[in-house]
Structure formats: C-alpha cells, structure tokens
Amino acid sequence: MGKLRGAPAFAAALALAAVLGAGGWAADTQTAVTGPPPGAADFTADAAQGPRPPDPATAAPAEVAAFFAALPPAQQDALALRHPLTVGNLDGAPIRLRYRANALALAAERTRELARATDPALTPQDHEAARTRAERYRTLLDGHRQILAFDPRGRGQVAEVYGELADAARISVIVPGSDIDLLDFDRAEDPYGTPAGMARALYEATGHRTAVIAWAGYTTPVGLGPDAATERLAAAGAPRLTRLLDGLAATARPQSPATVFCHSYGSVVCGLARPTPAEASGVVVLGSPGMGVDSAADLDPGVPLWATERNGSDWIGDVPNVRLFGLGHGADPTDPGFGARPLPATGSHGHTGYFAPGTASLAAYAALALGPGRA
C-alpha cells in the first residue's frame, strides 16, 4: 500500500497510530543529534603545525581526505591527540587515525564518567548512570576493537568495524532501527537484534573475507511512539549515513561501494538517504515498515534494492503501510509491486532474527556482501 485517500486512508492512519503508539502510548520524543561533536571549532582553528584544518560541519569527506593526505603522519597524530573527539568522527580522515582518536576519546570520557559516579553534588541515579556509561566505555576499549565513530552526546552514538576496512575488497554497513544507542549497540540477550550482533554474524558468514561496519550513527526512536511513526529522526539520520558512505569512498577505496543493510526503522533512513551508485553497490531492507517512498522507482535506479521476505512472527507485518498526516513510512518493500528484488527468510524468527546463523536470509546477505563470483 502507498498513499491512500478517503475513509480507508483515515482508518489505516488510526490503525498505524494504535500500532506505533501515536494514539497515546507513552514514549520519549528524541532530540536528534546532528553535526560534528563539540570541539569542531577548535579543530578548525588549529593551524599551529600546518595548514588550517577543514571545517567538520561543511567540508566534504573527499576534502577531509585530501587535507590529511597532505600531512606527515606526525602532524596527523598530533591533531588526533589534541582533538580526539573531532578526528574520531571525521568522515574522510584516515581510518586507523580514527581508531586511535576514538580510543583517546573513549578513555577521556570514561575518566569523566568515573568522576561523575562519585560526585557528591549528583543524585544516586546520576551516579548509577555514570557507572553504566563508564563500563560501556571500558568494554569499547577492550582488546583490539576498531571504533570508527564515537559521540557521547545524547544517548550516545558509535560505529565499530569488523575486518580490515582500510584494504577490504568489499564493505558492508549495518543501519539499525529503533532502540539502538551507545548502551544498546550490543546486547547479549538479543544478539542478532543489534548492529554489533548483525555485523559479527555477517562477518562470520562471509568467512572474514569482507569488512562490516556496525553503524549506530544516528538518533533512533525509543519504543513504539510518535518518533517511530514519523520520518523526523530518519530525515536527520540520512545525511549522516550519506557522509559515512562518502567517507568510505574517500578512504577505504574497496573494489565496489558498500552494500547497505537496513533493519526496521533503519530502512526509512536508507530510503531518505537515497544512496547513489558512487555510495552503495546495493541496499537490502529487512523487517521494514517502509522506506519513506512509494516504490523502488523513487530511489536511484543505479543501486539495486533487495527486500527480505517477512517471516510470519515479525510484528512489523501489523504496521499499516501508509503515509498520511505525517504518519507512516509508505509502501511495503516486500510487495511485488514495490519493485525490490526478493530475498528469502526461511528459518528466521521474529523481528530481529534475520541475521541468525543457519537462516536463508543470512546466507543471502553473505552472498551479496561478498559480491558476484565470490560467494
């Protein structure tokens, strides 16, 4: 179903409101985190050891890549040391430099949260929240984790890389749906419902022959409510996804652009981002409530679109596919009339089971991630 009119449309809108909570279920309305992290202005003004750095708020990733390519390694490292939060989130900066910068930023934020955890001026609830964040930062610093982005603002954002991104022949990006943030980036009780779990499963399924990015890089809806029923947060997240993809094209330089896997509300982000052939070699949606468009014809025809068949226990099938009065995300991508190429989902269960090992969906995803002739 696409745009509807008249009484059927009104009934569908009411049904959508009931399902997604706009009819009165309690849910937080989120403020989208946009733009570069605090400190970007200081980074741009830092010309102490060389040319003036590009403005993270306006410079294209290709401009950022050109700036760093002209700097000696020592000057690159010095900028990361002085401005870790900015460099670590700067699409177009060298990948390994971003890993080092984010490790520095995580360590600094962990120290800050540990201090907050014992600050007598704060409440016990504040102390507990600080301890929780400090522990999350510790886990992200463990071992040899490759953190491509880290932003502590709001509920927090993070991106992690599995595999060797700098020289990977093929790259995949996982774009998650609702209820994902810094703390819920990875959950042991729901291993394939988080971007980290999806990315690990795909990386394993490809035999470690690709690089996979778990990208929690936009403000997601919380719960089933107005944010999940509208495109506001997706519209704020779409430019961030585009910058990520442009940054990969400028720094990773794989044989082909990334394959983008979009789960649930993340498929709305992908639909509004409308990746070009220079940014993506394909887009895959799963558990999708719609993509914010009426058909695949509204997207770039040079980027193949695949839609995963919905399994019978995925609750997203109860969401009406409408766009009306600012509610809903449009036509069902699994409908043959939408124009997406179908992918099987045999063996998957529930809304978050499409990346589970042994499923037909994961096998199909791995084949697409590997590319023609490599599955």
Side-chain angles (χ1 to χ4, degrees), residues 1-3 231 267-268 270-274 289-299 305 322-323 328-333 338:
M1 296 170 61
K3 294 180 180 178
E231 295 176 356
S267 62
V268 189
C270 293
L272 298 184
R274 289 176 168 81
M291 299 185 69
V293 298
D294 292 326
S295 74
D298 294 329
L299 304 174
L305 173 66
V322 298
R323 293 175 77 201
H329 306 303
D332 181 356
F338 188 85

Side-chain angles (χ1 to χ4, degrees), residues 67-372:
F67 167 78
F68 278 99
L71 290 183
Q75 289 187 23
Q76 294 183 15
D77 290 339
L79 280 174
L81 182 63
R82 292 196 296 272
H83 310 282
L85 204 54
T86 299
V87 173
N89 289 281
L90 196 53
D91 292 303
I95 291 165
R96 297 196 183 282
L97 187 69
R98 291 180 67 175
Y99 293 162
R100 291 197 293 274
N102 283 317
L104 293 170
L106 280 162
E109 287 298 314
R110 181 171 184 266
T111 297
R112 190 179 76 85
E113 292 295 346
L114 288 173
R116 284 173 51 83
T118 57
D119 186 342
L122 299 179
T123 68
Q125 292 81 4
D126 291 333
H127 292 162
E128 179 61 27
R131 286 192 292 270
T132 298
R133 280 219 167 191
E135 176 60 17
R136 170 45 52 122
Y137 298 155
R138 184 194 67 77
T139 63
L140 292 173
L141 287 165
D142 274 355
H144 301 284
R145 299 184 74 164
Q146 301 176 132
I147 305 303
L148 186 67
F150 162 66
D151 189 338
R153 293 179 296 169
R155 288 158 44 216
Q157 299 177 3
V158 63
E160 183 173 12
V161 175
Y162 297 83
E164 295 300 324
L165 181 58
D167 54 8
R170 300 280 299 186
I171 296 172
S172 295
V173 176
I174 307 294
V175 181
S178 298
D179 299 306
I180 297 296
D181 53 31
L182 184 72
L183 297 181
D184 288 307
F185 175 72
D186 200 357
R187 295 191 296 263
E189 68 274 13
D190 185 18
Y192 307 113
T194 66
M198 294 177 191
R200 281 195 300 268
L202 183 59
Y203 183 56
E204 293 292 335
T206 61
H208 298 183
R209 289 183 286 164
T210 63
V212 185
I213 302 172
W215 183 75
Y218 77 103
T219 303
T220 67
V222 172
L224 298 176
D227 281 346
T230 64
E231 295 176 356
R232 181 179 61 87
L233 294 180
R240 299 175 76 82
L241 176 60
T242 298
R243 284 192 66 86
L244 170 77
L245 298 176
D246 288 344
L248 295 178
T251 54
R253 302 188 187 281
Q255 292 176 357
S256 60
T259 303
V260 187
F261 294 85
C262 317
H263 178 240
S264 194
Y265 189 84
S267 62
V268 189
V269 178
C270 293
L272 298 184
R274 289 176 168 81
T276 67
E279 296 163 344
S281 60
V283 171
V284 181
V285 297
L286 51 142
S288 174
M291 299 185 69
V293 298
D294 292 326
S295 74
D298 294 329
L299 304 174
D300 194 304
V303 180
L305 173 66
W306 287 270
T308 310
E309 296 173 355
R310 188 178 300 114
N311 67 59
S313 55
D314 186 346
W315 61 263
I316 204 73
D318 295 330
V319 177
N321 291 109
V322 298
R323 293 175 77 201
L324 194 67
F325 308 135
L327 296 173
H329 306 303
D332 181 356
T334 67
D335 188 318
F338 188 85
R341 308 176 189 190
L343 290 178
T346 306
S348 66
H349 300 283
H351 188 54
T352 60
Y354 295 99
F355 276 87
T359 59
S361 44
L362 179 59
Y365 301 159
L368 291 175
L370 287 167

